[in-house]
Every structure is written in C-alpha cells, then in structure tokens.
Amino acid sequence: MAAYREFHLVRRPVGLPTADDFTIVSKEAPPLADGQVRVKNLYLSVDPYMRGRMSDAKSYAEPFLLNAPMAGGAVGRVEESRHPKVAPGDLVLSMHGWRDGFVGDAKSVVKIDPALAPPQAFLGTVGMPGLTAYTGLLEIGGLKPGETVLVTGAAGAVGIVACQIAKAHSCRVIGTVGSEEKAAWLRDNAGVDVAINYRTTPNLRKAIVAAAPEGIDLTFENVGGDHLEAALAAAKPFGRVAICGLISQYNATEAGPGLRNVREVLTKRLTLRGFIVSDHTALQSRFLADMQQWIKAGRMRWTETVMEGFERTPEAFLGLFSGQNIGKMVVHLG
C-alpha cells in the first residue's frame, strides 16, 4: 500500500453535520519501524458518540482536531508486521477508523477470532456496542431474571444486544423502534415481546404503559426526550433507568425542554444513572465469555446495515440520525 486515505474534520458542525464538514486526504504510507504493523481496513464503524467529538465543548472524550485524522472503530487485515505477536493475514480491531489503511504501533491493535463471529460483528454485537449493552443492563441497571425491561432505540447497534441479553435472563422485553421493518426484526430474531413503532403510535407514553400494565422494572435508555418521559411514566416504584445515550438531542442547536414529568423520579423513588462504556473495560473478558455461550446457544443474533465504499463513510454516519440502520451501521471497504 503506497498510500492511504483518511477523513479529516474541516469544520465543526452546527446542528446536523453535512458532507461539507469532512474531506478526504491522501497520504503516503511510511516505512515500518520495529513494533509496528501495516493494516488494510476492511470495515469501518460509525457511531452516535462521534457527533459529540465533532464539537469542541467539554465532554468525556477529547474532540476531534480540525484538519487532522479522525478516529473510530475499524476491522482490518495485517499486510506487514514488525512485531513478533502479530503476523500478516491476522484480522485486527483498532481505533484507526475513518481511513482505509494505516501504519501504527502493534499495541494499538487487537487480534480477533473470526470463529466467534464475522469480522464486522466485532464492531457491533461482540464489540464496543455489545459491551455497552452488557454494562448498562448488568452493571449499571442490576438486571434480574424475570423483570420487565424497556429498551428505547431497540433496533440500533446497542439496542438489539440489550434486548437479547434481557431475553437471555428470561425477561419480558419491550422495545421502541422507528419502522415496521425494525419491529419485525426484533420480534422474529431477538425475541422481543412488544415492539412499538414510535413514528406511527399516536401516544408513545400510553403505548408503553399498555404494553407493561404492571410497570417497567428497568429501562435501557438510548433516545431521551419523549422516550425518557414515557419510561418514567411507565416505571414501577423503585425502578431503574440506565442512560446510555440521548440521540434525539445530539444535533440540537439550543436546549430543549426539560423532563416534564421529573416528579415521577421523586414519587416513585426511581434511580437514574448515566454511564460511559470506557469506564467499564474491566468487564471485557466476562462479556466475551458470556457472549460466546449465548452465541453457541443460539440466543444472540446480529445484523448490520452495510454501506459500500470508503467515500460513503460520512453518509453512513449521517444515516444514524435518520434511523437508516437496523443493527450496526458499518462501511465496507472491500
């Protein structure tokens, strides 16, 4: 590989990003030094959290620099190595995404086992999104067998895993989705008991309450806004809410209304807790061990929405905010 291409952020978006916020820069691949590898990326991940890194507002993650390579999850194949534990042909996971290849320190890549799952699944179900679902339900939410669980944004990369982990614990699962196609996938493949299409449901709050007349024990929150209000309305006394994401607010240009029914938190004695998966990497080995068992038992399925071609990476990213994906959104580089 004489050269590689990478996306740079050239301006900080206001509201929903556009294609003009990004540009492709070509660079020559440097020769390898000791301890380095040269990798051709096969799949790139795009994730909602990346929107926050496009802003320079203070947050839990450093912002992307302007006119510099962006970062994200990627699966690639090693083409050349000067490290004894990484060989040409190895499939590796890295954070050297938003580019079609790279030369980097071998310590920055992790070998993956394609016998466990297809390579792209390491960007989704058996990767960071899967660990996020695992952490939110079990570590943050304290999931107990037989509970009633609500997952908002249930057909996204994190949501489909959260639904199936809850089902593996014999829970009743209600999921909110944005299309009938997504609802059908969750019912047919993830075993979700009730899938509610919030785009066609006249009153989301009433629909969730009707689906769980005895109340929700645990909510896995991905959306925020009216979804979170509905979750509070449907919660049982002493219910819990694990707040993973608030995608409905990521492109807002001004503060929206606060929770109109925040009184429910007091009167029902609810526990709401936000979390960031990078604080819980110690769970990785336990997560993979459990995931391996669930996959073998046929209790964990996955799907990806795949866009073809490196140049379509921004398009894939923007598609997350209009609900174009079922499961993980990835870019296939061929």
Side-chain angles (χ1 to χ4, degrees):
M1 183 172 59
Y4 57 88
R5 297 174 296 166
E6 57 192 25
F7 274 98
H8 290 197
L9 186 70
V10 294
R11 66 182 184 189
R12 301 205 180 278
V14 177
L16 183 69
T18 71
D20 292 337
D21 296 323
F22 311 92
T23 193
I24 295 175
V25 175
S26 295
K27 290 188 175 181
E28 290 188 6
L32 265 64
D34 287 342
Q36 290 189 318
V37 292
R38 179 164 57 87
V39 177
K40 178 182 179 182
N41 281 335
L42 304 176
Y43 291 94
L44 305 180
S45 175
V46 290
D47 301 278
Y49 81 86
M50 294 173 175
R51 177 60 184 87
R53 296 194 67 187
M54 294 174 190
S55 167
D56 58 4
K58 186 176 181 180
S59 185
Y60 64 89
E62 291 295 320
F64 292 131
L65 297 176
L66 292 179
N67 302 302
M70 297 171 65
V75 168
R77 178 172 285 107
V78 176
E79 295 194 317
E80 185 179 357
S81 174
R82 294 189 63 180
H83 190 281
K85 293 186 178 180
V86 183
D90 285 345
L91 291 173
V92 294
L93 179 69
S94 79
M95 285 300 291
H96 296 293
W98 289 83
R99 65 202 81 185
D100 60 9
F102 64 92
V103 169
D105 193 321
K107 293 180 181 179
S108 70
V109 305
V110 176
K111 288 195 286 187
I112 62 174
D113 179 9
L116 175 62
Q120 66 273 21
F122 286 85
L123 297 173
T125 299
V126 294
M128 180 272 289
L131 179 60
T132 301
Y134 187 90
T135 299
L137 286 177
L138 302 178
E139 187 77 3
I140 305 301
L143 180 69
K144 302 178 184 65
E147 291 190 313
T148 298
V149 176
L150 170 66
V151 181
T152 66
V158 176
I160 63 169
V161 184
C163 289
Q164 292 177 89
I165 292 175
K167 291 303 297 183
H169 286 77
S170 302
C171 293
R172 185 168 189 268
V173 178
I174 301 162
T176 68
V177 298
S179 74
E180 292 305 317
E181 181 185 8
K182 293 177 180 182
W185 194 94
L186 288 175
R187 289 191 296 264
D188 296 343
N189 296 281
V192 166
D193 298 279
V194 180
I196 299 170
N197 183 347
Y198 65 86
R199 296 187 191 276
T200 58
T201 298
N203 188 308
L204 179 62
R205 186 181 305 197
K206 288 183 179 179
I208 293 174
V209 170
E214 296 183 2
I216 303 291
D217 295 289
L218 172 61
T219 294
F220 191 103
E221 181 60 60
N222 289 307
V223 180
D226 59 348
H227 284 67
L228 181 52
E229 290 184 347
L232 300 183
K236 288 182 180 178
F238 301 100
R240 297 99 65 204
V241 180
I243 302 177
C244 170
L246 302 166
I247 195 171
S248 67
Q249 301 172 25
Y250 289 170
N251 294 305
T253 56
E254 57 184 33
L259 285 172
R260 292 168 293 185
N261 62 340
V262 71
R263 184 172 180 271
E264 304 268 11
V265 178
L266 172 63
T267 59
K268 293 180 178 177
R269 289 84 85 201
L270 304 179
T271 298
L272 281 65
R273 182 177 170 188
F275 72 100
I276 305 297
V277 69
S278 56
D279 295 331
H280 301 276
T281 55
L283 297 175
Q284 178 73 16
S285 59
R286 196 175 93 195
F287 159 68
L288 287 176
D290 284 346
M291 189 63 72
Q292 186 173 33
Q293 293 303 312
W294 290 327
I295 291 172
K296 286 182 177 179
R299 307 202 70 164
M300 187 62 60
R301 298 184 181 184
W302 52 80
T303 187
E304 296 90 22
T305 300
V306 182
M307 285 203 178
E308 296 286 343
F310 175 72
E311 297 83 358
R312 299 184 71 190
T313 305
E315 179 186 349
F317 172 69
L318 295 176
L320 297 172
F321 300 101
S322 56
Q324 292 183 23
N325 59 303
I326 300 180
K328 185 75 184 79
M329 177 76 87
V330 297
V331 180
H332 180 225
L333 306 187

Short mmCIF file of all heavy atoms in Angstrom, two decimals, residues 41-50 64 70-75 93-99 120 122-124 127-129 157 305 313-314 316-317 320 328-333:
data_model
loop_
_atom_site.label_atom_id
_atom_site.label_comp_id
_atom_site.label_asym_id
_atom_site.label_seq_id
_atom_site.Cartn_x
_atom_site.Cartn_y
_atom_site.Cartn_z
N ASN A 41 -7.74 -1.61 6.18
CA ASN A 41 -9.03 -1.72 6.83
C ASN A 41 -10.06 -2.35 5.90
O ASN A 41 -10.09 -2.09 4.70
CB ASN A 41 -9.52 -0.34 7.27
CG ASN A 41 -8.87 0.12 8.56
OD1 ASN A 41 -8.44 -0.70 9.37
ND2 ASN A 41 -8.79 1.42 8.76
N LEU A 42 -10.91 -3.19 6.50
CA LEU A 42 -11.97 -3.87 5.77
C LEU A 42 -13.34 -3.29 6.09
O LEU A 42 -14.20 -3.18 5.21
CB LEU A 42 -11.96 -5.36 6.10
CG LEU A 42 -10.65 -6.10 5.85
CD1 LEU A 42 -10.77 -7.55 6.32
CD2 LEU A 42 -10.27 -6.04 4.38
N TYR A 43 -13.56 -2.95 7.37
CA TYR A 43 -14.83 -2.39 7.83
C TYR A 43 -14.55 -1.22 8.76
O TYR A 43 -13.66 -1.29 9.61
CB TYR A 43 -15.65 -3.43 8.60
CG TYR A 43 -16.20 -4.55 7.75
CD1 TYR A 43 -15.50 -5.75 7.62
CD2 TYR A 43 -17.43 -4.42 7.09
CE1 TYR A 43 -16.01 -6.79 6.84
CE2 TYR A 43 -17.93 -5.46 6.32
CZ TYR A 43 -17.22 -6.63 6.20
OH TYR A 43 -17.72 -7.65 5.43
N LEU A 44 -15.34 -0.17 8.61
CA LEU A 44 -15.26 0.99 9.49
C LEU A 44 -16.56 1.13 10.26
O LEU A 44 -17.65 0.88 9.73
CB LEU A 44 -15.02 2.27 8.68
CG LEU A 44 -13.81 2.31 7.75
CD1 LEU A 44 -13.74 3.65 7.04
CD2 LEU A 44 -12.52 2.04 8.52
N SER A 45 -16.44 1.54 11.50
CA SER A 45 -17.60 1.77 12.34
C SER A 45 -17.97 3.25 12.35
O SER A 45 -17.09 4.12 12.38
CB SER A 45 -17.30 1.32 13.78
OG SER A 45 -18.37 1.63 14.64
N VAL A 46 -19.26 3.55 12.31
CA VAL A 46 -19.75 4.90 12.61
C VAL A 46 -20.72 4.77 13.78
O VAL A 46 -21.53 3.84 13.83
CB VAL A 46 -20.42 5.57 11.40
CG1 VAL A 46 -19.39 5.93 10.35
CG2 VAL A 46 -21.51 4.70 10.78
N ASP A 47 -20.62 5.68 14.74
CA ASP A 47 -21.36 5.57 15.99
C ASP A 47 -21.87 6.94 16.42
O ASP A 47 -21.20 7.96 16.18
CB ASP A 47 -20.45 5.00 17.09
CG ASP A 47 -19.90 3.63 16.75
OD1 ASP A 47 -20.61 2.65 16.95
OD2 ASP A 47 -18.75 3.56 16.26
N PRO A 48 -23.03 6.97 17.10
CA PRO A 48 -23.58 8.27 17.51
C PRO A 48 -22.64 9.09 18.38
O PRO A 48 -22.66 10.33 18.31
CB PRO A 48 -24.85 7.87 18.27
CG PRO A 48 -25.27 6.58 17.65
CD PRO A 48 -23.97 5.86 17.36
N TYR A 49 -21.82 8.44 19.24
CA TYR A 49 -20.95 9.21 20.14
C TYR A 49 -19.98 10.10 19.37
O TYR A 49 -19.48 11.11 19.90
CB TYR A 49 -20.16 8.27 21.06
CG TYR A 49 -18.94 7.65 20.43
CD1 TYR A 49 -17.72 8.33 20.44
CD2 TYR A 49 -19.00 6.41 19.82
CE1 TYR A 49 -16.60 7.77 19.85
CE2 TYR A 49 -17.88 5.85 19.22
CZ TYR A 49 -16.69 6.54 19.25
OH TYR A 49 -15.57 5.99 18.65
N MET A 50 -19.71 9.75 18.11
CA MET A 50 -18.77 10.55 17.32
C MET A 50 -19.27 11.97 17.10
O MET A 50 -18.45 12.88 16.90
CB MET A 50 -18.52 9.87 15.97
CG MET A 50 -17.80 8.54 16.08
SD MET A 50 -17.71 7.70 14.47
CE MET A 50 -16.68 6.28 14.89
N PHE A 64 -12.45 15.76 18.23
CA PHE A 64 -11.61 15.60 17.05
C PHE A 64 -10.92 16.93 16.75
O PHE A 64 -11.53 18.00 16.87
CB PHE A 64 -12.45 15.20 15.83
CG PHE A 64 -13.06 13.83 15.89
CD1 PHE A 64 -14.41 13.63 15.61
CD2 PHE A 64 -12.29 12.72 16.19
CE1 PHE A 64 -14.97 12.36 15.64
CE2 PHE A 64 -12.83 11.45 16.22
CZ PHE A 64 -14.18 11.27 15.96
N MET A 70 -9.46 11.64 11.73
CA MET A 70 -10.49 11.27 12.69
C MET A 70 -10.23 9.84 13.16
O MET A 70 -9.39 9.13 12.61
CB MET A 70 -11.87 11.41 12.06
CG MET A 70 -12.20 12.84 11.66
SD MET A 70 -13.71 12.98 10.69
CE MET A 70 -14.93 12.44 11.89
N ALA A 71 -10.94 9.44 14.20
CA ALA A 71 -10.72 8.11 14.77
C ALA A 71 -12.06 7.40 14.95
O ALA A 71 -13.11 8.03 15.08
CB ALA A 71 -10.01 8.22 16.11
N GLY A 72 -12.01 6.10 14.99
CA GLY A 72 -13.19 5.28 15.21
C GLY A 72 -12.83 3.82 15.09
O GLY A 72 -11.71 3.47 14.69
N GLY A 73 -13.76 2.97 15.42
CA GLY A 73 -13.52 1.54 15.34
C GLY A 73 -13.32 1.07 13.91
O GLY A 73 -13.94 1.58 12.97
N ALA A 74 -12.45 0.09 13.74
CA ALA A 74 -12.18 -0.48 12.42
C ALA A 74 -11.71 -1.92 12.58
O ALA A 74 -11.04 -2.26 13.56
CB ALA A 74 -11.13 0.34 11.67
N VAL A 75 -12.06 -2.74 11.61
CA VAL A 75 -11.51 -4.09 11.49
C VAL A 75 -10.71 -4.15 10.20
O VAL A 75 -11.19 -3.72 9.14
CB VAL A 75 -12.61 -5.16 11.48
CG1 VAL A 75 -12.06 -6.52 11.07
CG2 VAL A 75 -13.26 -5.27 12.86
N LEU A 93 -8.68 -5.55 15.32
CA LEU A 93 -9.58 -4.46 15.69
C LEU A 93 -8.74 -3.29 16.15
O LEU A 93 -7.76 -3.47 16.88
CB LEU A 93 -10.50 -4.93 16.82
CG LEU A 93 -11.52 -3.96 17.38
CD1 LEU A 93 -12.60 -3.66 16.36
CD2 LEU A 93 -12.15 -4.54 18.66
N SER A 94 -9.11 -2.09 15.74
CA SER A 94 -8.36 -0.91 16.14
C SER A 94 -9.29 0.29 16.24
O SER A 94 -10.47 0.22 15.89
CB SER A 94 -7.24 -0.60 15.14
OG SER A 94 -7.76 0.05 14.00
N MET A 95 -8.73 1.41 16.69
CA MET A 95 -9.43 2.68 16.67
C MET A 95 -8.90 3.56 15.54
O MET A 95 -9.08 4.78 15.55
CB MET A 95 -9.29 3.39 18.02
CG MET A 95 -10.17 2.79 19.11
SD MET A 95 -11.96 2.85 18.70
CE MET A 95 -12.25 4.63 18.78
N HIS A 96 -8.28 2.95 14.54
CA HIS A 96 -7.76 3.68 13.38
C HIS A 96 -8.79 3.68 12.26
O HIS A 96 -8.52 3.27 11.13
CB HIS A 96 -6.44 3.05 12.91
CG HIS A 96 -5.34 3.14 13.91
ND1 HIS A 96 -4.75 4.32 14.30
CD2 HIS A 96 -4.71 2.16 14.62
CE1 HIS A 96 -3.80 4.08 15.19
NE2 HIS A 96 -3.76 2.78 15.42
N GLY A 97 -10.02 4.11 12.61
CA GLY A 97 -11.07 4.18 11.61
C GLY A 97 -11.06 5.50 10.86
O GLY A 97 -10.14 6.30 10.98
N TRP A 98 -12.09 5.70 10.04
CA TRP A 98 -12.21 6.86 9.16
C TRP A 98 -11.00 6.95 8.21
O TRP A 98 -10.60 8.02 7.79
CB TRP A 98 -12.37 8.16 9.95
CG TRP A 98 -13.70 8.31 10.62
CD1 TRP A 98 -14.05 7.78 11.83
CD2 TRP A 98 -14.86 9.02 10.16
NE1 TRP A 98 -15.34 8.11 12.15
CE2 TRP A 98 -15.87 8.88 11.15
CE3 TRP A 98 -15.14 9.76 9.01
CZ2 TRP A 98 -17.14 9.44 11.01
CZ3 TRP A 98 -16.40 10.34 8.88
CH2 TRP A 98 -17.38 10.17 9.87
N ARG A 99 -10.40 5.81 7.89
CA ARG A 99 -9.29 5.74 6.93
C ARG A 99 -9.29 4.34 6.33
O ARG A 99 -9.81 3.40 6.93
CB ARG A 99 -7.97 6.07 7.61
CG ARG A 99 -7.52 5.09 8.67
CD ARG A 99 -6.52 5.71 9.65
NE ARG A 99 -7.22 6.50 10.65
CZ ARG A 99 -6.61 7.23 11.58
NH1 ARG A 99 -5.30 7.29 11.63
NH2 ARG A 99 -7.30 7.91 12.47
N GLN A 120 -17.05 -8.11 10.91
CA GLN A 120 -17.77 -6.86 11.15
C GLN A 120 -18.54 -6.87 12.47
O GLN A 120 -18.82 -5.80 13.03
CB GLN A 120 -18.72 -6.53 9.99
CG GLN A 120 -19.88 -7.48 9.81
CD GLN A 120 -19.56 -8.68 8.94
OE1 GLN A 120 -18.40 -9.05 8.75
NE2 GLN A 120 -20.59 -9.30 8.39
N PHE A 122 -17.42 -7.62 15.24
CA PHE A 122 -16.55 -7.11 16.30
C PHE A 122 -16.62 -5.59 16.41
O PHE A 122 -16.05 -5.00 17.33
CB PHE A 122 -15.11 -7.57 16.08
CG PHE A 122 -14.91 -9.03 16.39
CD1 PHE A 122 -15.19 -10.00 15.44
CD2 PHE A 122 -14.49 -9.43 17.64
CE1 PHE A 122 -15.03 -11.34 15.73
CE2 PHE A 122 -14.33 -10.77 17.95
CZ PHE A 122 -14.60 -11.74 16.98
N LEU A 123 -17.33 -4.94 15.48
CA LEU A 123 -17.62 -3.52 15.60
C LEU A 123 -19.00 -3.30 16.20
O LEU A 123 -19.37 -2.15 16.47
CB LEU A 123 -17.55 -2.84 14.22
CG LEU A 123 -16.19 -2.87 13.54
CD1 LEU A 123 -16.30 -2.32 12.12
CD2 LEU A 123 -15.16 -2.09 14.35
N GLY A 124 -19.75 -4.39 16.39
CA GLY A 124 -21.12 -4.28 16.88
C GLY A 124 -21.40 -5.20 18.03
O GLY A 124 -21.01 -4.96 19.17
N GLY A 127 -18.51 -6.35 19.97
CA GLY A 127 -17.56 -5.26 20.14
C GLY A 127 -18.05 -4.25 21.15
O GLY A 127 -18.80 -4.56 22.08
N MET A 128 -17.65 -3.00 20.96
CA MET A 128 -17.99 -1.93 21.90
C MET A 128 -19.49 -1.78 22.11
O MET A 128 -19.94 -1.66 23.27
CB MET A 128 -17.34 -0.63 21.44
CG MET A 128 -17.61 0.56 22.33
SD MET A 128 -19.14 1.45 21.90
CE MET A 128 -18.67 2.22 20.35
N PRO A 129 -20.34 -1.78 21.07
CA PRO A 129 -21.78 -1.66 21.33
C PRO A 129 -22.32 -2.81 22.19
O PRO A 129 -23.17 -2.60 23.05
CB PRO A 129 -22.38 -1.66 19.93
CG PRO A 129 -21.31 -1.09 19.07
CD PRO A 129 -20.04 -1.68 19.62
N ALA A 157 -27.45 -0.55 17.14
CA ALA A 157 -26.34 -1.47 17.42
C ALA A 157 -26.32 -1.92 18.88
O ALA A 157 -26.07 -3.09 19.19
CB ALA A 157 -25.01 -0.80 17.06
N THR A 305 -26.21 -2.92 8.92
CA THR A 305 -26.54 -2.13 7.74
C THR A 305 -25.21 -1.72 7.13
O THR A 305 -24.42 -1.03 7.78
CB THR A 305 -27.38 -0.90 8.11
OG1 THR A 305 -28.60 -1.35 8.72
CG2 THR A 305 -27.71 -0.08 6.88
N THR A 313 -18.44 7.01 4.00
CA THR A 313 -18.38 7.00 5.46
C THR A 313 -19.20 8.12 6.09
O THR A 313 -19.99 7.87 7.01
CB THR A 313 -16.93 7.04 5.95
OG1 THR A 313 -16.20 5.95 5.35
CG2 THR A 313 -16.85 6.91 7.46
N PRO A 314 -19.07 9.38 5.64
CA PRO A 314 -19.93 10.42 6.24
C PRO A 314 -21.42 10.15 6.02
O PRO A 314 -22.24 10.41 6.90
CB PRO A 314 -19.48 11.70 5.52
CG PRO A 314 -18.08 11.43 5.10
CD PRO A 314 -18.08 9.98 4.72
N ALA A 316 -22.86 7.26 5.82
CA ALA A 316 -23.25 6.23 6.79
C ALA A 316 -23.43 6.85 8.18
O ALA A 316 -24.40 6.53 8.89
CB ALA A 316 -22.19 5.14 6.83
N PHE A 317 -22.52 7.72 8.56
CA PHE A 317 -22.62 8.38 9.87
C PHE A 317 -23.91 9.18 9.97
O PHE A 317 -24.65 9.08 10.96
CB PHE A 317 -21.40 9.27 10.08
CG PHE A 317 -21.49 10.14 11.30
CD1 PHE A 317 -21.43 9.59 12.57
CD2 PHE A 317 -21.66 11.51 11.18
CE1 PHE A 317 -21.54 10.39 13.71
CE2 PHE A 317 -21.76 12.32 12.30
CZ PHE A 317 -21.70 11.75 13.56
N LEU A 320 -27.28 7.48 10.75
CA LEU A 320 -27.64 7.09 12.11
C LEU A 320 -28.73 8.00 12.68
O LEU A 320 -29.55 7.57 13.49
CB LEU A 320 -26.41 7.17 13.02
CG LEU A 320 -25.24 6.23 12.71
CD1 LEU A 320 -24.05 6.58 13.59
CD2 LEU A 320 -25.65 4.77 12.91
N LYS A 328 -26.01 -2.65 13.63
CA LYS A 328 -24.82 -1.82 13.50
C LYS A 328 -24.70 -1.25 12.10
O LYS A 328 -24.88 -1.95 11.11
CB LYS A 328 -23.57 -2.68 13.81
CG LYS A 328 -22.28 -1.89 13.80
CD LYS A 328 -22.17 -1.07 15.06
CE LYS A 328 -20.93 -0.18 15.04
NZ LYS A 328 -21.11 1.03 14.23
N MET A 329 -24.34 0.03 12.01
CA MET A 329 -24.03 0.66 10.74
C MET A 329 -22.53 0.55 10.52
O MET A 329 -21.73 1.00 11.36
CB MET A 329 -24.43 2.13 10.74
CG MET A 329 -24.07 2.88 9.46
SD MET A 329 -25.17 2.51 8.07
CE MET A 329 -26.48 3.72 8.36
N VAL A 330 -22.13 -0.06 9.41
CA VAL A 330 -20.70 -0.19 9.07
C VAL A 330 -20.49 0.19 7.62
O VAL A 330 -21.41 0.15 6.80
CB VAL A 330 -20.16 -1.62 9.33
CG1 VAL A 330 -20.23 -1.99 10.80
CG2 VAL A 330 -20.89 -2.64 8.46
N VAL A 331 -19.25 0.54 7.34
CA VAL A 331 -18.83 0.83 5.97
C VAL A 331 -17.88 -0.28 5.53
O VAL A 331 -16.89 -0.57 6.22
CB VAL A 331 -18.12 2.20 5.87
CG1 VAL A 331 -17.70 2.48 4.43
CG2 VAL A 331 -19.04 3.31 6.39
N HIS A 332 -18.19 -0.90 4.41
CA HIS A 332 -17.37 -1.99 3.89
C HIS A 332 -16.42 -1.41 2.83
O HIS A 332 -16.87 -0.77 1.87
CB HIS A 332 -18.24 -3.08 3.27
CG HIS A 332 -17.47 -4.23 2.71
ND1 HIS A 332 -17.74 -4.80 1.48
CD2 HIS A 332 -16.42 -4.93 3.23
CE1 HIS A 332 -16.90 -5.79 1.27
NE2 HIS A 332 -16.08 -5.89 2.30
N LEU A 333 -15.13 -1.66 3.00
CA LEU A 333 -14.14 -1.12 2.08
C LEU A 333 -13.72 -2.11 1.01
O LEU A 333 -13.00 -1.75 0.08
CB LEU A 333 -12.89 -0.64 2.85
CG LEU A 333 -13.15 0.33 4.00
CD1 LEU A 333 -11.83 0.84 4.55
CD2 LEU A 333 -14.04 1.48 3.59
#
